[in-house]
């Protein structure tokens, strides 16, 4: 299972990227035939007839709960992901044989008591994206398996039907949409907690069987410990922005550790019974990531601005029988590894040589036959293992495994809980500081943002000054 951990987390991170790309791809039925086909299937399955409103305009998509007939605008926040979630192909309408009856039931109610099915579906997409931190490509910090995320559409179907049920059981009206959304957010947190060990039938039971009063009582207890200001859309958007900034800050810090370099133990990789163990010639290795955007001037190194990923191409290293002070530059580091050749950073893959364990008290005690928890291997898709190392401590292991993953062209994944907790902690601290700035001035945070009127003319320009 340990051998598959890195591959599964890489796959999971790639699915996050695909999901984010769908969420940010605009729905355009006029230009994309596939989008028009999905919308046609949704409409056909609803079994509704197009009508004309009092002003003589077409009334089609508004019958499904959209606010306007412009579907591109209605899906602007959730993109193709929202369209897929609502469509028959992705099982929401198809999974509920009473979907047409559900639509007619909402239409039979007064306009104030009607639950917008399409709007509810899009809101659930936003809530699930927030729960699984689908903020931007390459910004995944999950260190645990998320099997339910890999079945996003099925979870969306359960959560959307829960939204509609809570609407009915609570007797909600149009102005209660935010309140019902808060209930669904609370239920999502409960249903999807510990998802790497939670069985699927418990998730279904949590969404399908819990009654409104039970959910509401639990939410009231949660609100005693939390502030509902955190659930408002502007604050959620601010959290997303701060999350990306925090991730980038930690990423730069981790890469800076690679640029400083570190000593590692040359480890014994696990070998199959048919393959003899490959023993390292020397016990110690110093590795350093080299930035080729640095230049030498008068024996001093000056960095041309902030370092760029395009200049971080090689890990230079030297193997040695003993540790020694390594000079800056490349004089002491004759060998190198091409970073672009690294396809995976596998962890807990190799054991330390027994002679190093006897001489180095700083390393964690372990049997030579058992892989060290502080070990990692740099794997290539075509050349096998490029390096097998053991870090001296947990902090150095997190710096290098996550730093190398973040440096990879595809972004990799975060392997350590230490890095993931850093990102989350920085996000929460930044959010609290921003909110303190607002609350100290007693600024009202709106639940929605309303665009102002357009300018009267084009006689203006955007200033570069803040």
């Amino acid at each position: 299972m340990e051998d598959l951990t890195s591959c599964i987390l890489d796959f999971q991170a790639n699915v996050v990227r695909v999901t984010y790309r769908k969420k940010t791809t605009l729905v355009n039925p006029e230009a994309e035939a596939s989008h028009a086909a999905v919308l046609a299937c949704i409409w056909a399955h609803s079994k509704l007839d197009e009508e004309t409103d009092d002003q003589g305009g077409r009334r089609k998509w508004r019958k499904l709960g959209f606010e306007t007939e412009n579907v591109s605008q209605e899906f602007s926040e959730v993109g193709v992901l929202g369209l897929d979630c609502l469509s028959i192909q992705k099982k929401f309408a198809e999974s509920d044989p009473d979907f047409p009856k559900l639509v007619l039931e909402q239409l039979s109610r007064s306009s104030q008591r009607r639950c917008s099915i399409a709007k509810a579906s899009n809101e659930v997409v936003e809530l699930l994206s927030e729960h699984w931190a689908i903020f931007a490509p390459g910004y995944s910090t999950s260190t645990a398996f998320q099997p339910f995320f890999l079945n996003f559409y099925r979870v969306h179907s359960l959560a959307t039907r829960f939204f509609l049920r809570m609407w009915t059981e609570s007797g909600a009206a149009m102005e209660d949409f935010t309140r019902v959304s808060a209930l669904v957010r609370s239920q999502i947190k409960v249903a999807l907690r510990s998802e790497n060990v939670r069985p699927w039938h418990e998730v279904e039971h949590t969404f399908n069987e819990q009654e409104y009063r039970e959910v509401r009582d639990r939410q009231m207890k949660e609100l005693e410990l939390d502030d509902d200001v955190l659930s408002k859309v502007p604050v959620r958007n601010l959290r997303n922005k701060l999350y990306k900034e925090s991730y980038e800050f930690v990423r730069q810090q981790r890469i800076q550790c690679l640029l400083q370099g570190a000593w590692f133990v040359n480890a014994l990789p696990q070998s199959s019974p048919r393959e003899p163990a490959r023993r390292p010639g020397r016990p110690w290795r110093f590795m350093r990531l080299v930035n080729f955007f640095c230049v030498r001037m008068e024996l001093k190194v000056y960095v041309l601005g902030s370092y760029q990923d395009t200049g971080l191409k090689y890990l230079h290293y030297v193997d040695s029988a003993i540790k020694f002070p390594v000079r800056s530059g490349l004089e002491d580091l004759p060998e190198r590894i091409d970073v672009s050749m690294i396809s995976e950073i596998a962890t807990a893959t190799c054991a330390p040589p027994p002679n190093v364990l006897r001489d180095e008290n700083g390393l964690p005690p372990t049997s030579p036959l058992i892989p060290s928890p502080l070990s990692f291997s740099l794997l290539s898709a075509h050349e096998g293992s490029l390096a097998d190392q053991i870090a001296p401590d947990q902090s150095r292991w997190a710096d290098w495994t996550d730093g190398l993953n973040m440096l990879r062209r595809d972004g990799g994944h975060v392997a350590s809980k230490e890095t993931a907790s850093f990102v989350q902690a920085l996000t929460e601290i930044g959010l609290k500081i921003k909110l303190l700035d607002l609350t100290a001035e007693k600024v009202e945070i709106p639940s929605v943002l309303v665009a102002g009127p357009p300018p009267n003319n084009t006689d203006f320009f955007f200033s570069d000054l803040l």
Side-chain angles (χ1 to χ4, degrees):
M1 189 62 182
E2 289 291 342
D3 295 340
L4 296 176
T5 298
S6 181
C7 295
I8 293 174
L9 291 178
D10 264 352
F11 174 76
Q12 186 172 280
N14 287 332
V15 175
V16 171
R17 293 187 187 89
V18 172
T19 305
Y20 175 79
R21 184 172 182 178
K22 286 187 174 184
K23 188 172 183 288
T24 54
T25 300
L26 297 179
V27 174
N28 189 352
E30 296 180 359
E32 296 289 342
S34 59
H35 298 177
V38 172
L39 288 168
C41 285
I42 294 174
W43 180 253
H45 201 76
S46 69
K47 298 182 180 179
L48 296 176
D49 296 321
E50 187 175 332
E51 297 177 356
T52 303
D53 59 21
D54 297 336
Q55 287 75 35
R58 186 177 71 160
R59 187 167 180 265
K60 178 180 178 180
W61 296 112
R62 283 177 288 171
K63 297 182 72 173
L64 272 179
F66 293 112
E67 295 182 355
T68 67
E69 294 297 322
N70 186 345
V71 290
S72 297
Q73 176 183 331
E74 297 295 335
F75 286 109
S76 61
E77 296 297 324
V78 293
V80 173
L81 179 63
L83 177 64
D84 285 347
C85 284
L86 187 61
S87 72
I88 183 175
Q89 285 90 342
K90 298 306 179 186
K91 307 298 184 184
F92 171 62
E94 191 180 61
S95 65
D96 192 343
D98 295 327
F99 178 70
K101 186 186 299 183
L102 184 63
V103 175
L104 291 174
E105 178 186 346
Q106 297 301 323
L107 288 174
S108 66
R109 299 178 181 178
S110 65
S111 58
Q112 285 299 313
R113 292 290 178 183
R114 219 173 273 166
C115 179
S116 170
I117 295 177
K119 187 177 179 181
S121 174
N122 288 350
E123 179 68 9
V124 170
V125 173
E126 290 281 20
L127 295 176
L128 292 177
S129 298
E130 177 187 348
H131 176 78
W132 280 310
I134 306 172
F135 298 143
Y139 290 92
S140 174
T141 57
S142 174
T143 60
F145 302 145
Q146 295 177 320
F148 302 150
F149 164 70
L150 301 180
N151 208 346
F152 188 98
Y153 299 112
R154 193 173 179 187
V155 176
H156 171 272
S157 175
L158 287 172
T160 303
R161 281 182 281 168
F162 176 80
F163 192 112
L164 299 175
R165 183 163 64 86
M166 290 298 101
W167 184 280
T168 300
E169 293 183 8
S170 64
M174 289 300 295
E175 59 270 17
D176 297 320
F177 189 89
T178 303
R179 177 177 61 82
V180 178
S181 176
L183 280 175
V184 178
R185 176 188 288 103
S186 172
Q187 193 72 355
I188 286 174
K189 290 180 180 178
V190 172
L192 302 180
R193 68 182 184 273
S194 305
E195 79 175 89
N196 59 325
V197 295
R198 189 174 174 84
W200 174 252
H201 69 86
E202 290 186 10
V203 178
E204 290 183 315
H205 180 273
T206 304
F207 278 121
N208 294 334
E209 304 299 332
Q210 285 197 333
E211 298 181 355
Y212 166 74
R213 186 171 298 279
E214 181 182 355
V215 177
R216 180 60 178 166
D217 289 344
R218 187 195 66 242
Q219 187 203 30
M220 292 300 295
K221 294 178 181 178
E222 292 174 352
L223 290 177
E224 293 176 2
L225 305 175
D226 199 2
D227 190 344
D228 64 346
V229 71
L230 298 179
S231 65
K232 293 189 175 182
V233 173
V235 178
R236 285 158 53 185
N237 293 337
L238 175 61
R239 184 195 295 273
N240 295 353
K241 178 176 180 291
L242 293 173
Y243 179 91
K244 289 184 280 188
E245 292 177 356
S246 300
Y247 183 98
E248 189 60 30
F249 177 84
V250 174
R251 178 178 182 272
Q252 298 294 344
Q253 184 272 332
R254 292 294 192 244
I255 293 177
Q256 188 63 40
C257 292
L258 305 187
L259 290 169
Q260 293 174 357
W263 282 100
F264 298 93
V265 172
N266 279 324
L268 299 172
Q270 288 181 305
S271 57
S272 64
R274 298 180 181 179
E275 298 177 353
R278 187 175 76 250
R279 291 184 173 272
R282 297 179 180 179
W284 297 102
R285 173 174 292 183
F286 183 89
M287 291 199 299
R288 179 193 293 147
L289 180 67
V290 175
N291 179 12
F292 283 94
F293 279 96
C294 293
V295 295
R296 287 187 172 276
M297 297 178 62
E298 298 179 354
L299 301 180
K300 295 182 180 179
V301 177
Y302 295 87
V303 180
L304 299 178
S306 61
Y307 61 82
Q308 304 178 32
D309 287 358
T310 53
L312 307 176
K313 296 182 178 180
Y314 298 103
L315 278 172
H316 285 254
Y317 68 91
V318 62
D319 291 337
S320 175
I322 59 172
K323 293 182 182 180
F324 63 91
V326 180
R327 294 172 292 178
S328 60
L330 303 179
E331 290 83 356
D332 295 336
L333 305 174
E335 307 294 336
R336 71 182 188 182
I337 297 172
D338 189 340
V339 173
S340 65
M341 296 292 293
I342 302 174
S343 61
E344 180 186 351
I345 292 90
T347 58
T349 54
C350 39
N355 60 321
V356 177
L357 275 181
R358 286 196 302 267
D359 300 335
E360 186 71 19
N361 295 327
L363 287 174
T366 179
S367 167
L369 302 178
I370 300 176
S372 168
L374 300 181
S375 65
F376 62 92
S377 297
L378 309 184
L379 305 181
S380 169
H382 305 291
E383 299 181 12
S385 178
L386 303 175
D388 301 289
Q389 313 301 146
I390 297 179
D393 51 53
Q394 177 69 28
S395 178
R396 192 68 51 83
W397 179 86
D399 288 343
W400 277 74
T401 55
D402 290 332
L404 289 169
N405 266 313
M406 292 170 164
L407 186 64
R408 285 166 54 192
R409 185 168 46 194
D410 58 1
H413 65 274
V414 172
S416 71
K417 293 182 179 180
E418 182 180 355
T419 298
S421 64
F422 280 165
V423 175
Q424 295 296 337
L426 286 173
T427 302
E428 295 303 320
I429 292 172
L431 182 63
K432 290 177 181 178
I433 291 174
K434 294 288 187 182
L435 292 179
L436 281 174
D437 291 342
L438 293 176
T439 54
E441 298 294 333
K442 298 183 179 179
V443 176
E444 179 77 21
I445 301 177
S447 296
V448 295
L449 296 179
V450 180
N456 296 326
N457 55 59
T458 58
D459 186 20
F460 66 90
F461 64 94
F462 295 100
S463 174
D464 292 332
L465 300 178
L466 297 178

